[in-house]
């Protein structure tokens, strides 16, 4: 074992986050206060979306989005097989059926619009897109397919906070489809511990989402209308998915830093790409030919020639003190999703061969070199058979 330690991710925190939380604690106002509202307004402005609602997690955001667009038991929701499991779980939670579509290729593990097009049925009530690693893939085509059929597009934008697409006027993640979902979990580009955000340009969705976020209760509306809150109505079977003031305070500071955080993540990815050009041809570096400037650069992934070489690389890196991860096994391979038939050969292959390397704003150039060198060594050692023709 090496003494060196390179973690998978690290917070971009300093005294500012500490001071912001302390201010909230000293105000003695911990929930549903001015900080949450400020955070929502600042986030909406940054994303370009008309409205933003802070919630307790992206999973909550996805759940509320599915309910808000009217997905009901028996409906189908088309979504990528390569994603974190939250979107699929929430689809099942509302009684609908996740229909898994394949991703484009090993070097573009993002929803394939052609696959989506083949999967539309009369029961399709929503499509969920995911901007893997902070890249948009063919989101313009996906949006057009949804628009043509009048099916809402929900963006699982958890990897893409602050990313700018090539669509008209450079629309940002969360301001492309009908509803955008974001996570501020500890390892995301901006972190509040737990936490999430919903963005939308649709006023009808905002009203519904606001109601569902807080028990379906009309308290706020009532207060505004009557000037006091002697009673309230419950107009929907809602949840408690609110964010608290401490997290909103952290979120405000992180949002101010976001452009700089993303700029430093892009520089790290560009450096990784330069080093990893020397990988044997049997390895793939996803998105290597794509512009980092549009991406939020949430992940640095490589795809091994096969599952065995991935395992060998992961264990060699571990011995060298380098933490790695998997984003993600193909969802239909999970036990809980065995019942959902799907034809996703690229996703299955990707899930068995992908490996995620350390990436965060403060990752030192010397650590990028160290990780790359360690990976290059093991990749060359295990490249026993002649490189497969491609
Ligand atoms: C992190 C993540 C989620 C879940 O976010 P939580 O805030 O932990 O609920 C969902 N989808 C993707 C793509 C993610 O990366």
């Amino acid at each position: 074992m090496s003494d060196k330690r390179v973690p998978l991710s690290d917070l971009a925190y300093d005294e500012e986050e500490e001071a912001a939380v302390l201010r909230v604690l000293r105000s003695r106002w911990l929930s549903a206060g001015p900080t949450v509202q400020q955070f929502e307004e600042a986030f909406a402005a940054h994303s370009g979306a008309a409205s933003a609602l802070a919630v307790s997690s992206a999973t909550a955001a996805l759940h509320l989005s599915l309910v808000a667009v009217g997905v009901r038991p028996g409906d189908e929701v088309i979504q990528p097989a390569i994603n974190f499991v939250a979107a699929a779980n929430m689809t099942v939670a509302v009684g609908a059926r996740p229909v898994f579509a394949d991703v484009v290729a090993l070097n573009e593990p993002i929803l394939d619009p052609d696959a989506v097009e083949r999967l539309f049925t009369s029961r399709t009530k929503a499509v969920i897109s995911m901007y893997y690693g902070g890249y948009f893939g063919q989101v313009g085509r996906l949006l057009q397919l949804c628009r043509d059929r009048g099916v809402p597009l929900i963006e699982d934008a958890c990897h893409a906070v602050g990313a700018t697409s090539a669509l008209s006027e450079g629309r940002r993640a969360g301001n492309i489809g009908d509803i955008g979902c974001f996570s501020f979990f500890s390892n995301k580009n901006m972190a509040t511990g737990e936490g999430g955000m919903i963005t939308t340009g649709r006023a009808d969705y905002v009203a519904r989402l606001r109601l569902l976020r807080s028990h379906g209760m009309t308290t706020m509306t009532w207060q505004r209308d009557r000037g006091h809150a002697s009673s309230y109505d419950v107009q929907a079977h809602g949840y408690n998915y609110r964010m608290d003031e401490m997290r909103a305070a952290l979120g405000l500071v992180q949002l101010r830093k976001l452009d700089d955080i993303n700029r430093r993540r892009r520089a790290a990815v560009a450096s990784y790409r330069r080093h990893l050009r020397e990988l044997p041809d049997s390895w793939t570096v996803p998105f290597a030919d794509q512009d980092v400037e549009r991406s939020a650069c949430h992940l640095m992934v490589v795809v091994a020639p096969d599952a065995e070489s991935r395992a060998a690389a992961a264990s060699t890196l571990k011995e060298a003190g380098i933490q790695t991860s998997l984003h993600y096994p193909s969802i239909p391979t999970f036990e809980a999703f065995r019942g959902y038939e799907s034809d996703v050969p690229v996703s299955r292959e990707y899930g068995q061969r992908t490996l995620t390397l350390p990436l965060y704003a403060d990752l030192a150039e010397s650590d990028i070199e160290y990780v790359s060198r360690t990976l290059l060594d093991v990749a060359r050692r295990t490249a026993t058979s002649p490189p497969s023709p491609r």
Side-chain angles (χ1 to χ4, degrees):
M1 273 297 223
S2 149
D3 289 339
K4 201 160 167 62
R5 285 276 168 277
V6 187
L8 186 68
S9 71
D10 194 15
L11 295 170
Y13 271 28
D14 56 32
E15 307 76 35
E16 274 193 79
E17 281 80 4
E18 292 173 20
V21 171
L22 214 51
R23 270 198 301 280
V24 169
L25 296 181
R26 289 179 177 158
S27 79
R28 308 186 71 78
W29 193 282
L30 303 187
S31 42
T35 322
V36 168
Q37 200 181 330
Q38 262 181 49
F39 183 31
E40 291 177 337
E41 285 164 10
F43 196 91
H46 192 273
S47 72
S51 304
L53 278 91
V55 288
S56 51
S57 70
T59 305
L62 288 159
H63 189 187
L64 292 182
S65 300
L66 289 163
V67 177
V69 305
V71 174
R72 301 175 57 82
D75 291 344
E76 294 174 357
V77 179
I78 303 175
Q79 51 196 290
I82 293 295
N83 191 359
F84 183 63
V85 75
N89 273 342
M90 291 306 100
T91 304
V92 175
V94 301
R97 184 177 180 83
V99 174
F100 297 108
D102 212 351
V103 296
V104 175
L106 294 181
N107 69 2
E108 190 178 319
I110 300 186
L111 206 48
D112 178 358
D114 290 329
V116 172
E117 189 167 18
R118 288 192 293 273
L119 292 169
F120 274 108
T121 73
S122 57
R123 291 180 299 278
T124 306
K125 290 295 152 56
V127 172
I128 300 177
S129 64
M130 203 281 269
Y131 306 134
Y132 185 102
Y135 301 85
F136 289 94
Q138 301 169 43
V139 69
R141 262 203 71 207
L142 193 64
L143 183 63
Q144 195 55 51
L145 287 175
C146 291
R147 291 277 181 271
D148 290 347
R149 288 162 181 78
V151 170
L153 178 66
I154 298 171
E155 301 171 65
D156 181 340
C158 292
H159 290 192
V161 64
T164 309
S165 78
L167 298 182
S168 52
E169 304 140 46
R171 292 178 92 86
R172 284 207 154 140
N175 188 30
I176 294 171
D178 296 85
I179 299 191
C181 302
F182 293 89
S183 172
F184 309 127
F185 182 65
S186 315
N187 63 6
K188 305 293 156 105
N189 289 27
M190 53 177 279
T192 67
E194 301 288 351
M197 191 72 77
I198 308 177
T199 50
T200 184
R202 298 251 320 235
D204 53 338
Y205 288 162
V206 175
R208 181 111 188 110
L209 290 163
R210 208 182 285 286
L211 205 61
L212 290 168
R213 175 175 64 175
S214 194
H215 309 287
M217 285 165 57
T218 56
T219 315
M220 306 304 274
T221 321
W222 178 275
Q223 282 170 328
R224 223 180 297 115
D225 283 352
R226 312 286 165 105
H228 58 85
S230 57
S231 186
Y232 58 85
D233 193 15
V234 173
Q235 299 183 337
H237 302 296
Y239 312 92
N240 175 1
Y241 282 162
R242 294 183 305 261
M243 175 182 276
D244 64 45
E245 293 277 294
M246 288 78 77
R247 286 179 177 80
L250 290 171
L252 269 169
V253 177
Q254 288 274 283
L255 183 64
R256 276 199 295 276
K257 295 180 176 176
L258 180 64
D259 291 342
D260 183 56
I261 288 173
N262 283 354
R263 184 183 56 73
R264 290 187 287 149
R265 297 180 80 102
R266 286 181 198 117
V269 166
S271 171
Y272 263 125
R273 285 182 185 176
R274 280 192 298 275
H275 291 293
L276 297 179
R277 264 187 220 137
E278 291 167 48
L279 272 173
D281 284 348
S282 51
W283 286 69
T284 304
V285 180
F287 312 111
D289 55 351
Q290 295 193 25
D291 187 2
V292 284
E293 293 308 319
R294 293 211 173 273
S295 174
C297 289
H298 176 58
L299 297 177
M300 181 64 216
V301 284
V302 290
V303 181
D306 48 50
E308 295 72 44
S309 341
R310 177 186 59 188
S315 89
T316 302
L317 289 166
K318 187 175 180 193
E319 273 163 36
I322 299 162
Q323 195 185 6
T324 62
S325 187
L326 303 180
H327 295 85
Y328 303 92
S330 174
I331 294 172
T333 64
F334 292 135
E335 184 180 334
F337 289 90
R338 292 263 164 83
Y340 299 93
E341 269 168 58
S342 55
D343 180 24
V344 290
V346 183
S347 300
R348 173 176 281 271
E349 194 69 20
Y350 189 84
Q352 289 169 350
R353 291 166 53 183
T354 184
L355 183 69
T356 307
L357 305 177
L359 178 63
Y360 44 92
D362 287 325
L363 182 60
E365 175 58 29
S366 59
D367 285 340
I368 296 172
E369 258 175 59
Y370 174 66
V371 174
S372 302
R373 191 161 20 88
T374 311
L375 179 64
L376 288 171
D377 284 349
V378 61
R380 286 176 188 137
R381 256 200 330 274
T382 52
T384 45
S385 46
S388 55
R390 285 196 306 178

